[in-house]
């Protein structure tokens, strides 16, 4: 399986989970890492698609690849499954919300004197869904790279996610370190592969990080034969 002959699906940005017509739960992901990855992916394969949550439109202005906007984690799951085919590489840099409000009010919730309690339920885990589909349909020509944004026990959690989400590779960033993580122009990554390798990338621009991640994916694909 060659990267140049594969479809590359990149996801990026946050998702939004609305609880009334004007308010939502989200996170601080800017989508910059996703855009950098999609830009690099397109240099390798013209069949690149970038599925993104709500991000600054300026970041994807005039991009030559297809951009698919989504809003909620459920939308993101549907869009990823719609694009999944063989051979393909899925680079899951999005930061989907893990919880969504149980109820969405049709009207603006008015304030009262007491506290506001919003009950939330779990959203689907997209990578676990992909792993199940790969297994049940016997899809072998799919390579999946996940991301882990952690603040404590970083390597332990990343390796756990590599296994529990059946990934081929996971890119860890310690978001508590300056120069790494959300809404910055640089990142510091450690890549772990299913084959047991550990590759450290120094602090560098998100573009350079993306280039290195694509290079590691290419190496991973070549090891598959
Ligand atoms: N991810 C996913 N579906 C979700 C949440 C996350 O597919 N509902 C993906 C992310 O895109 C990322 C990886 O799973 O590639 C790890 O995401 P992260 O937010 O670090 O971990 P979670 O699985 O959400 O676990 P936790 O929040 O407990 O750390």
């Amino acid at each position: 399986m060659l990267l140049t002959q594969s479809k590359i699906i990149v996801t990026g940005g946050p998702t939004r989970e609305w609880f009334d017509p004007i308010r939502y739960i989200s996170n601080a992901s800017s989508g910059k890492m996703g855009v950098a990855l999609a830009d690099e992916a397109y240099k390798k394969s013209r069949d690149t698609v970038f599925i993104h949550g709500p991000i600054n439109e300026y970041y994807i202005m005039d991009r030559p690849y297809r951009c698919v906007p989504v809003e909620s984690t459920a939308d993101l799951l549907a869009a990823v499954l719609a694009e999944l085919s063989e051979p393909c590489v899925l680079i899951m840099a999005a930061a989907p919300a893990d919880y969504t409000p149980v109820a969405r009010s049709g009207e603006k919730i008015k304030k009262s004197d007491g506290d506001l309690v919003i009950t939330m339920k779990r959203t689907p885990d997209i990578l676990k869904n992909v792993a199940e589909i790969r297994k049940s349909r016997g899809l072998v020509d799919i390579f999946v790279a996940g991301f882990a944004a952690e603040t404590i026990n970083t390597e332990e959690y990343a390796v756990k996610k590599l296994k529990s989400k059946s990934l081929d590779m996971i890119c860890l960033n310690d978001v508590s370190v300056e120069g790494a993580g959300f809404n910055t122009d640089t990142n510091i990554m450690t890549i772990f592969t299913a084959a047991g390798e550990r590759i450290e990338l120094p602090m560098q621009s998100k573009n350079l990080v993306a280039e290195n991640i694509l290079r590691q994916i290419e190496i991973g694909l070549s090891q598959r034969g």
Side-chain angles (χ1 to χ4, degrees):
M1 181 178 162
L2 289 171
L3 194 53
T4 47
Q5 286 164 12
S6 298
K7 177 177 194 174
I8 309 180
I9 306 166
V10 180
T11 72
T15 60
R16 278 182 190 169
E17 310 294 331
W18 293 84
F19 59 92
D20 83 3
I22 56 169
R23 301 184 183 103
Y24 54 79
I25 307 285
S26 189
N27 60 64
S29 169
S30 64
K32 283 179 185 168
M33 192 64 237
V35 176
L37 285 159
D39 288 350
E40 277 307 313
Y42 186 74
K43 290 182 192 165
K44 306 282 178 189
S45 169
R46 292 291 178 262
D47 193 5
T48 289
V49 57
F50 181 46
I51 307 173
H52 61 89
I55 60 171
N56 190 333
E57 281 296 312
Y58 176 76
Y59 296 159
I60 46 170
M61 212 166 63
D62 299 330
R63 289 309 197 267
Y65 44 80
R66 260 190 317 129
C67 292
V68 177
V70 296
E71 198 155 84
S72 67
T73 298
D75 296 341
L76 181 58
L77 172 64
V80 167
L81 296 188
E83 295 289 345
L84 213 59
S85 59
E86 279 184 298
C88 96
V89 171
L90 170 63
I91 305 177
M92 194 67 198
D98 288 325
Y99 291 91
T100 190
V102 166
R104 178 173 172 174
S105 168
E107 307 299 335
K108 180 185 172 194
I109 298 171
K110 300 299 285 179
K111 66 173 166 291
S112 62
D113 290 339
D115 297 340
L116 172 66
V117 176
I118 299 165
T119 308
M120 314 261 278
K121 61 180 179 189
R122 282 286 305 273
T123 54
D125 187 302
I126 296 158
L127 286 175
K128 284 191 178 165
N129 274 269
V130 169
E132 276 159 30
I133 288 169
R134 265 171 104 181
K135 202 170 157 198
S136 65
R137 295 194 199 153
L139 305 176
V140 287
D141 274 348
I142 295 187
F143 185 100
V144 183
F147 284 71
E150 308 290 349
T151 56
I152 50 162
N153 305 332
T154 56
E155 299 211 358
E156 182 194 329
Y157 286 140
V159 172
K160 251 190 200 162
K161 282 176 191 171
L162 176 73
K163 293 190 178 128
S164 67
K165 297 181 190 243
S166 308
L167 305 175
D168 298 291
M169 172 186 285
I170 192 154
C171 308
L172 162 69
N173 64 332
D174 182 339
V175 287
S176 66
V177 176
E178 200 169 323
F182 288 172
N183 236 323
T184 57
D185 290 320
T186 57
N187 226 340
I188 308 166
M189 288 269 176
T190 310
I191 299 175
F192 298 88
T193 70
E197 292 135 326
R198 178 184 189 284
I199 301 116
E200 260 184 61
L201 304 180
M203 180 162 48
Q204 45 196 201
S205 72
K206 287 189 171 173
N207 291 338
L208 215 48
V209 172
E211 203 180 305
N212 278 305
I213 290 172
L214 266 298
R215 184 170 307 132
Q216 291 304 324
I217 292 174
E218 246 172 342
I219 294 170
L221 290 175
S222 69
Q223 285 165 352
R224 274 186 178 183

